[in-house]
Amino acid sequence: MLKEERHYHILDKIILDGKVLSADLSIELNVSEDTIRRDLNELSDKELIKKVHGGALPIDSNNLSYGERSNFNLEEKNIIAKKAVNLIKSGQVIIMSGSTTNLQLAKIIPADINATIYTYSLPIALQLTEHPSIEIIFIGGKLHKSAQVTVGLDVVSSISELRADLCFMGIGGINVLNGMTEPDWEVSHIKKCMISASDKVIALCTQNKVNETKRYTVAPINKIDTLVTDKDPNDLIFKDFKEKGVKIL
Amino acid sequence: MLKEERHYHILDKIILDGKVLSADLSIELNVSEDTIRRDLNELSDKELIKKVHGGALPIDSNNLSYGERSNFNLEEKNIIAKKAVNLIKSGQVIIMSGSTTNLQLAKIIPADINATIYTYSLPIALQLTEHPSIEIIFIGGKLHKSAQVTVGLDVVSSISELRADLCFMGIGGINVLNGMTEPDWEVSHIKKCMISASDKVIALCTQNKVNETKRYTVAPINKIDTLVTDKDPNDLIFKDFKEKGVKIL
DNA sequence: TTTAATATTGTAAAAAAACGCAAAATAACA
DNA sequence: TGTTATTTTGCGTTTTTTTACAATATTAAA
């Protein structure tokens, strides 16, 4: 086994177990404790772990990862995600659709939030596994390969059986007259279920989706509680939405 | 063999095995270690691999999941995967457990195979989305973060409702007397369901799991149809298994 | 404090890398 | 075609890295 492999193994184990013991690692990796100590010293020099008597501990960086990430991107979807993340409170049950905006949102949920999130998107679920306290329920079904989400009757029936406080929904198009619309029939159906399963519906919506209309209807405009957008909420484009009782963020 | 060919070979192997050793490559490609080192240097200059003492590692190993990275038995698991992949035929319905051996298997399913695969492992599902014709059904439920698989009652009940031809199962331990065993209660339960849902059970098993016994029983030895291993099937260690009617591959 | 576990330091041996050079293969070109 | 330049490769030598072992010092815990 290569030295770097051992290093990765040690880092993984430290994350998973919260600590490592030199003696354990020596047996596990089949090298002398001496070598392990040298490994720990190197990792410690790189400030990746905290070496202590008998082994090593993780370097505390809970807020680091969050801070690092949230500084990074300044694109539209991130603006939306940053606004939307404030709507999440501990204890809530949340459904997320499979949009990239929701993926960005999943990345920036603060570590101290403690909620249950239902999703049918593989990338979002994977992202959420890095969060320390979110409970993730993956909604199973037939996997749509390119979109990496599950679809089909299983998904529909699973969603209809649950109740959520919030539902974060990416949208295909939105428009005062036709409400929310989707280009894909199956997705439109799933989103209908999501809406009726949730107390509040939050639509995540980049500027370019406003006043678009797609083939299949999801819901009339008044079903939406809050529309989160990358633009100024006071923009004239949202006037009609406001009159229908939709909050703009 | 051309230099470029070697380069492709090295890159392939690094993706598949998670590492390469200069010494191995030298024998495998029939050139001196010197040449291999020069190859590795070039690939490393192009930032396609990470060269380390003794060989090289993939460059993006830090965004791999726990299971994919800290995985010393990858070569053995690959040998198993290569044997097991021949058992897959078009038209079959297959259940896969969440082991890394199954992940390796998922990577090498030939493109012309046309089957339906049920899984409850996020990494396996994600891997399978790259296959052109496999139909993937993801079994939903509560997500176990570090293992990146769904667990719980939802999974159990989903599995009990289906029928499969084959079931590829990673195992915690195996032993003629106690049969298949698992260290985790929930997993043991899920695997029981998998077995009773499948016509044939294929156990994927590295040498070191043989004659191990874990806390929870999954099934007696005669429930296993085929045991796929990285060792020679004629090894004496498998004698007792054969007498119980288990095929060894 | 005493004792057992863990660290440190120095050393030696083994493995691997780097270097320089020359032979061989390949490409370039008159 | 023959000649020359370039690339590729292998080999011996030197240097560096990695590792284990032993002796000694330090730490933590009973």
Side-chain angles (χ1 to χ4, degrees):
Chain A
M1 169 171 275
L2 298 168
K3 189 175 70 152
E4 268 72 12
E5 284 188 277
R6 287 201 311 270
H7 287 190
Y8 285 129
H9 180 96
I10 292 170
L11 289 173
D12 281 332
K13 180 156 190 183
I14 257 186
I15 290 169
L16 202 63
D17 293 351
K19 73 169 176 184
V20 289
L21 305 182
S22 310
D24 288 357
L25 287 171
S26 163
I27 298 166
E28 220 170 290
L29 301 176
N30 206 32
V31 290
S32 73
E33 291 198 30
D34 247 319
T35 303
I36 295 296
R37 257 177 235 113
R38 274 184 292 255
D39 287 341
L40 295 182
N41 278 326
E42 284 183 43
L43 292 171
S44 173
D45 288 345
K46 291 185 199 158
E47 309 206 350
L48 295 170
I49 62 171
K50 182 180 176 189
K51 191 169 177 304
V52 297
H53 200 92
L57 295 171
I59 268 169
D60 211 310
S61 61
N62 274 352
N63 35 13
L64 240 174
S65 61
Y66 175 59
E68 274 179 338
R69 285 193 207 124
S70 53
N71 287 341
F72 250 10
N73 298 347
L74 301 160
E75 316 110 15
E76 299 166 336
K77 288 178 178 169
N78 256 311
I79 296 171
I80 297 177
K82 279 177 193 162
K83 290 183 184 177
V85 77
N86 297 313
L87 300 171
I88 302 179
K89 310 287 176 213
S90 275
Q92 285 177 331
V93 175
I94 298 166
I95 316 181
M96 280 192 180
S97 78
S99 69
T100 37
T101 314
N102 266 325
L103 180 59
Q104 296 305 314
L105 176 55
K107 285 182 186 169
I108 61 168
I109 298 175
D112 61 331
I113 292 277
N114 199 310
T116 301
I117 297 185
Y118 286 81
T119 184
Y120 51 89
S121 154
L122 236 40
I124 290 176
L126 216 47
Q127 177 62 49
L128 288 172
T129 60
E130 289 182 20
H131 192 284
S133 46
I134 294 280
E135 174 165 56
I136 316 153
I137 316 282
F138 194 92
I139 300 167
K142 184 169 175 295
L143 203 54
H144 185 290
K145 283 176 190 170
S146 58
Q148 303 192 321
V149 296
T150 50
V151 293
L153 275 180
D154 292 336
V155 178
V156 170
S157 74
S158 297
I159 294 180
S160 2
E161 282 170 19
L162 62 94
R163 279 238 59 78
D165 299 306
L166 246 54
C167 136
F168 287 102
M169 178 127 48
I171 55 184
I174 196 165
N175 170 308
V176 178
L177 212 60
N178 303 301
M180 288 178 54
T181 50
E182 275 292 327
D184 186 283
W185 185 83
E186 269 196 306
V187 174
S188 77
H189 217 270
I190 289 172
K191 290 191 173 171
K192 274 183 196 168
C193 292
M194 286 175 58
I195 291 176
S196 61
S198 309
D199 286 352
K200 286 203 169 187
V201 176
I202 322 283
L204 309 174
C205 172
T206 47
Q207 171 91 349
N208 59 321
K209 303 291 177 66
V210 177
N211 290 334
E212 281 279 307
T213 303
K214 304 290 179 185
R215 179 83 179 77
Y216 300 100
T217 303
V218 175
I221 202 75
N222 63 345
K223 287 278 189 180
I224 298 175
D225 294 272
T226 307
L227 185 71
V228 186
T229 150
D230 53 315
K231 295 291 170 193
D232 181 0
N234 296 317
D235 197 300
L236 282 174
I237 204 175
F238 301 120
K239 189 164 167 283
D240 296 344
F241 291 92
K242 285 181 184 166
E243 283 171 8
K244 290 278 187 175
V246 179
K247 284 193 216 87
I248 313 286
L249 256 189
Chain B
M1 172 172 273
L2 298 169
K3 191 171 71 149
E4 301 296 316
E5 282 187 277
R6 286 202 311 272
H7 286 193
Y8 284 125
H9 179 97
I10 292 170
L11 289 173
D12 280 346
K13 179 158 187 178
I14 247 182
I15 289 170
L16 206 60
D17 289 354
K19 74 167 175 185
V20 290
L21 304 182
S22 309
D24 287 357
L25 286 171
S26 162
I27 297 167
E28 224 170 288
L29 301 176
N30 206 34
V31 289
S32 72
E33 290 198 31
D34 248 314
T35 303
I36 294 297
R37 266 190 287 278
R38 275 184 287 253
D39 287 340
L40 295 182
N41 278 325
E42 285 184 42
L43 292 170
S44 173
D45 288 345
K46 291 184 200 159
E47 309 206 348
L48 296 171
I49 62 172
K50 180 180 178 190
K51 190 169 177 301
V52 299
H53 201 94
L57 296 171
I59 200 109
D60 55 349
S61 48
N62 40 350
N63 53 24
L64 290 180
S65 63
Y66 170 74
E68 288 184 83
R69 211 181 327 159
S70 60
N71 203 327
F72 19 151
N73 292 337
L74 254 194
E75 296 101 296
E76 285 88 338
K77 288 176 181 169
N78 253 310
I79 295 171
I80 296 176
K82 279 175 193 159
K83 290 183 184 176
V85 75
N86 297 314
L87 300 171
I88 303 178
K89 309 288 176 210
S90 276
Q92 285 177 330
V93 175
I94 297 165
I95 316 181
M96 279 191 181
S97 78
S99 68
T100 37
T101 314
N102 267 325
L103 180 59
Q104 294 304 112
L105 177 54
K107 284 182 186 168
I108 60 168
I109 299 175
D112 61 332
I113 292 277
N114 199 311
T116 301
I117 295 184
Y118 285 80
T119 185
Y120 50 89
S121 153
L122 237 40
I124 291 176
L126 214 48
Q127 177 61 49
L128 289 172
T129 60
E130 289 180 21
H131 192 284
S133 46
I134 294 280
E135 172 164 56
I136 315 153
I137 316 283
F138 194 91
I139 300 166
K142 180 165 176 298
L143 203 55
H144 185 289
K145 283 177 189 168
S146 59
Q148 305 193 319
V149 296
T150 50
V151 292
L153 276 180
D154 291 337
V155 177
V156 170
S157 73
S158 297
I159 294 180
S160 9
E161 280 169 17
L162 61 92
R163 278 239 60 78
D165 299 305
L166 247 54
C167 136
F168 287 103
M169 180 127 45
I171 54 184
I174 196 165
N175 171 310
V176 176
L177 213 60
N178 304 300
M180 287 178 56
T181 49
E182 276 291 327
D184 186 282
W185 186 82
E186 267 195 306
V187 174
S188 78
H189 219 270
I190 290 173
K191 290 192 171 171
K192 274 183 195 166
C193 292
M194 286 176 58
I195 291 176
S196 60
S198 309
D199 285 351
K200 286 205 169 185
V201 176
I202 322 283
L204 308 176
C205 171
T206 47
Q207 171 90 348
N208 59 322
K209 304 289 177 67
V210 177
N211 291 331
E212 283 278 307
T213 303
K214 305 289 178 185
R215 181 82 181 77
Y216 300 99
T217 303
V218 175
I221 202 75
N222 63 347
K223 287 276 188 183
I224 299 174
D225 294 273
T226 307
L227 185 71
V228 186
T229 150
D230 52 316
K231 294 292 168 194
D232 180 0
N234 296 318
D235 197 301
L236 281 174
I237 205 174
F238 302 120
K239 189 165 166 284
D240 295 344
F241 291 91
K242 284 182 184 166
E243 282 171 6
K244 291 278 187 176
V246 178
K247 280 191 219 88
I248 313 286
L249 255 191

